[in-house]
Amino acid sequence: MNAPVSAPKLYDCRDAFAETIEMLAANDARVVAVCNDSVGSSKLGGFKAKFPERLINVGIAEQNMVGVGAGLANGGQLPFVCGASCFLTGRALEQIKADLAYSNANVKLVGISSGMAYGELGPTHHSIEDFAWTRVLPNLPVIAPCDRIETAAAVKWAAEYAGPCFLRLSRVGVPDLLPEGHVFELGKANLLRDGTDLTLIANGTLTHRMVKAADILAARGIKARVLNMATVRPIDEAAIVAAATQTGAILTAEEHSIYGGLGSAIAEVVVEQAPVPMKRLGVPGVFAHTGPAEWLLDEFGMAPHAIAEAAEALIKRK
Amino acid sequence: MEPKELERVARQIRLRDVQAVFEAGAGHVGGEMSAIDIMTALYFRVLRVWPDDPKNPARDRFVLSKGHTACALYVTLAKRGFIPEDEISTFLQPNSRLNGHPNCNKVPGVETNTGPLGHGLPVAVGMAKAAKLSGADYHTYVMTGDGEMQEGSNWEAIMAGAQFGLDNLTLIIDHNRFQQGAALSDTNDIAPLRPKLEAFGWDVSEINGNEMGEVVPALEHRSDRPHCIVAHTNKGHGISFMQDKVDWHHKVPSKEQYDIAVRELSEAL
């Protein structure tokens, strides 16, 4: 029997976002936060206390919120536009397309409580379509960090990046996966485990589940490569092609519909450049039932042991 | 520039605009004719802009939210020196930067990409708010169509403009009473606009938007609140057979009609 290990501490990535934007704002007078009555859920209370005049709350009006963000950028400010991802992306998609992506406005979108973070509130509040909606837009990097370290790094990167981007955050606790001091690189996957039998690729709240699945597989003698792929667009084609050619199978998992998200983006590369067997885990094209986020992920076959079983089945197709 | 001179420039812009639409075989000439007097007053008198330095942070902002009338903006920008005047002949041609709707990354002087309606006013609110934050003294103007005010996003922005106390923001509603398919009153009649804007906390002026003597003071008016100009205009203004005809939202004149339009506009020059 293995020695007991203490469970790793879990972190809400919104705290890393809040700490980082406050740090950025202290050093750069252009940094402003724009929100839709979401000061609390976006963890902007500290920002508001420190920089009250730079917290712009437009009320419950997402279309206006994104347009205001574009105007603030035009006027020389550096806006982080924050709101529940389901409303930010769903309600204001045309503003994201025309006012930000097409106009190349220097606005940082921060989708909070994405995926099924609001599990109990039902499908109106689930944001399992946002990768699909945003990744078709030109000139809009789409990024889902996997832990607090990558969240902080991505927020810092966003502040320096000249142009619009979309950061997709959750509120569901995740353990540390990347090393302290990690520097975010757009469109670059991180190798968390190397392996030769297949590759597991995820981002956001699924990456740590993939690591656990890889540990289960290792105990069964299966060497799984694990890639954290925060950037959904531009996708890391080189890492995908290398995974396909070197490990011969790719399993993806995401807190998103299997239609149009990370798995689809990876499949597009695999089919065109290095066809190998693939399996996409996620929400299988349904409105999810009600329940806590972690429970829903388990329900949809993304518990670590279920991921491991899906991996074993996939390997048999090689 | 004085109102009489502005009227002359506006007629020149009308003439070039109708010529461009005729040659391109497409455009939104009716709503361009209604809006040209206001755009002329803005670019030739009111706006503090530098054609040779179009991104100067101190510039006044103008957002053409009714982006389908881009041709009128292009002609005005060209006449003001932002783009070459002979480039107007490329309007809508393959690879021209003069799209059917304005592109801020291609055309100097354009501030944000518009086309889908209900986008310009929220962006203008952000521009005005940015000036409040930075202490910049530029003024932000935005022009919408009257039918465009049916878009709910405008009313979100109108609430925000009042809440933020944006006395550096002017909304001009080109109230020509016609939208694409029918009269405003037969579609979703949001007139009268004045009481609605006033109820939302804005200072409102109502003017004849095709009368330069009224346009200029309205644009130069300052208040302690955001200012809305309800500009009563005529769709197709300046061309007899187009005036107040819904057909001329995006109809293209025949050769015969074009010749009449050119003659009428030239006579007035």
Side-chain angles (χ1 to χ4, degrees):
Chain A
M1 198 171 163
N2 291 331
V5 285
S6 57
K9 187 168 164 44
L10 302 181
Y11 296 93
D12 179 340
C13 290
R14 294 178 302 167
D15 292 320
F17 160 68
E19 280 169 30
T20 309
I21 191 176
E22 287 172 34
M23 183 265 292
L24 291 168
N27 295 305
D28 187 342
R30 299 174 305 148
V31 173
V32 296
V34 188
C35 70
N36 55 338
D37 193 25
S38 57
V39 174
S41 57
S42 299
K43 294 264 185 178
L44 289 169
F47 186 98
K48 186 181 180 185
K50 288 180 184 151
F51 315 102
E53 74 288 356
R54 288 152 69 183
L55 187 283
I56 299 158
N57 187 349
V58 300
I60 306 162
E62 291 75 23
Q63 297 177 75
N64 185 48
M65 174 169 68
V66 172
V68 165
L72 286 163
N74 175 287
Q77 306 292 322
L78 182 52
F80 283 75
V81 173
C82 314
S85 198
C86 54
F87 309 131
L88 175 66
T89 59
R91 195 62 164 266
L93 187 58
E94 190 183 76
Q95 279 75 14
I96 295 172
K97 172 187 168 185
D99 306 354
L100 305 191
Y102 180 41
S103 294
N104 193 32
N106 193 23
V107 174
K108 318 306 166 182
L109 293 172
V110 184
I112 303 284
S113 304
S114 61
M116 295 178 292
Y118 285 133
E120 298 90 338
L121 301 186
T124 55
H125 285 57
H126 298 168
S127 196
I128 56 170
E129 307 87 2
D130 51 13
F131 281 152
W133 288 341
T134 56
R135 83 175 178 91
V136 296
L137 298 176
N139 194 36
L140 186 77
V142 177
I143 300 155
C146 70
D147 66 4
R148 69 177 175 91
I149 295 163
E150 189 172 31
T151 300
V155 172
K156 280 183 213 155
W157 170 87
E160 289 174 13
Y161 175 73
C165 61
F166 171 47
L167 304 181
R168 183 192 197 247
L169 306 184
S170 182
R171 62 163 68 201
V172 175
V174 286
D176 288 351
L177 295 167
L178 293 166
E180 291 284 0
H182 170 73
V183 174
F184 178 79
E185 288 181 77
L186 182 68
K188 189 91 167 60
N190 316 112
L191 181 67
L192 299 183
R193 292 273 194 287
D194 207 357
T196 51
D197 294 326
L198 89 163
T199 301
L200 312 178
I201 308 179
N203 61 21
T205 55
L206 266 298
T207 300
H208 78 97
R209 287 171 175 253
M210 288 300 220
V211 172
K212 289 182 184 120
D215 290 342
I216 294 167
L217 290 166
R220 297 174 191 169
I222 295 167
K223 298 185 186 69
R225 179 179 297 183
V226 180
L227 293 177
N228 173 54
M229 195 164 281
T231 311
V232 175
R233 178 169 179 164
I235 199 84
D236 188 345
E237 294 188 12
I240 295 165
V241 170
T245 54
Q246 292 164 13
T247 73
I250 294 175
L251 174 73
T252 65
E254 59 198 302
E255 195 173 339
H256 190 276
S257 168
I258 60 165
Y259 298 103
L262 175 70
S264 298
I266 291 167
E268 288 160 12
V269 176
V270 168
V271 165
E272 286 194 349
Q273 300 189 39
V276 292
M278 264 193 79
K279 175 69 181 172
R280 293 168 297 137
L281 298 177
V283 181
V286 298
F287 290 116
H289 27 259
T290 299
E294 300 267 33
W295 177 81
L296 282 166
L297 291 174
D298 292 349
E299 281 288 292
F300 287 120
M302 291 180 278
H305 70 85
I307 295 171
E309 281 163 25
E312 287 181 302
L314 179 61
I315 288 170
K316 293 197 178 94
R317 289 170 48 206
K318 281 170 71 171
Chain B
M1 202 177 274
E2 292 307 306
K4 270 273 170 267
E5 181 66 5
L6 290 169
E7 284 168 15
R8 199 177 60 82
V9 174
R11 283 192 293 272
Q12 292 168 348
I13 291 172
R14 282 195 166 84
L15 188 58
R16 188 65 191 90
D17 183 276
V18 76
Q19 184 189 357
V21 170
F22 175 70
E23 286 172 356
H28 289 83
V29 69
E32 284 162 2
M33 295 301 127
S34 65
I36 278 172
D37 296 302
I38 293 159
M39 281 197 244
T40 302
L42 281 167
Y43 278 95
F44 288 86
R45 168 152 175 153
V46 177
L47 292 179
R48 184 178 54 178
V49 289
W50 297 272
D52 54 352
D53 185 16
K55 295 277 188 193
N56 188 314
R59 72 194 183 279
D60 288 334
R61 269 63 169 179
F62 172 64
V63 176
L64 180 67
S65 192
K66 44 177 286 185
H68 53 283
T69 57
C71 189
L73 179 63
Y74 299 147
V75 174
T76 308
L77 288 172
K79 201 155 185 58
R80 188 69 173 79
F82 283 88
I83 57 174
E85 289 200 73
D86 58 9
E87 193 178 340
I88 298 300
S89 61
T90 72
F91 176 58
L92 304 185
Q93 298 305 306
N95 288 320
S96 169
R97 58 179 176 168
L98 306 183
N99 297 349
H101 297 90
N103 184 320
C104 63
N105 295 308
K106 291 181 178 174
V107 183
V110 175
E111 295 287 352
T112 184
N113 295 354
T114 53
L117 297 173
H119 283 241
L121 182 52
V123 177
V125 165
M127 292 169 173
K129 179 66 180 171
K132 290 291 179 193
L133 288 167
S134 68
D137 69 350
Y138 65 78
H139 197 89
T140 300
Y141 293 88
V142 51
M143 181 153 59
T144 66
D146 51 2
E148 181 179 1
M149 295 308 290
Q150 293 159 354
E151 290 281 7
S153 52
N154 287 316
W155 299 93
E156 295 182 0
I158 286 165
M159 288 186 279
Q163 178 75 24
F164 298 156
L166 300 179
D167 57 8
N168 56 353
L169 174 64
T170 300
L171 160 66
I172 307 138
I173 302 175
D174 181 12
H175 193 10
N176 63 28
R177 296 168 274 102
F178 291 94
Q179 49 197 101
Q180 178 172 281
L184 193 76
S185 58
D186 293 332
T187 307
N188 178 353
D189 192 3
I190 53 165
L193 286 155
R194 177 180 206 130
K196 295 180 178 70
L197 269 295
E198 285 179 340
F200 278 71
W202 284 52
D203 184 20
V204 182
S205 306
E206 281 195 85
I207 63 163
N208 178 343
N210 297 127
E211 176 53 57
M212 208 55 88
E214 295 186 34
V215 169
V216 169
L219 292 172
E220 292 177 345
H221 172 76
R222 292 294 179 267
S223 175
D224 59 351
R225 290 169 286 157
H227 179 215
C228 173
I229 301 170
V230 178
H232 294 272
T233 58
N234 299 310
K235 203 152 188 168
H237 186 84
I239 302 169
S240 58
F241 60 86
M242 285 188 193
Q243 289 208 116
D244 290 346
K245 299 281 196 309
V246 67
D247 300 354
W248 288 100
H249 179 79
H250 53 208
K251 192 172 164 180
V252 177
S254 66
K255 178 71 173 77
E256 191 180 13
Q257 290 168 323
Y258 172 66
D259 289 340
I260 295 168
V262 168
R263 193 168 63 240
E264 289 181 1
L265 292 169
S266 302
E267 277 171 8
L269 279 178

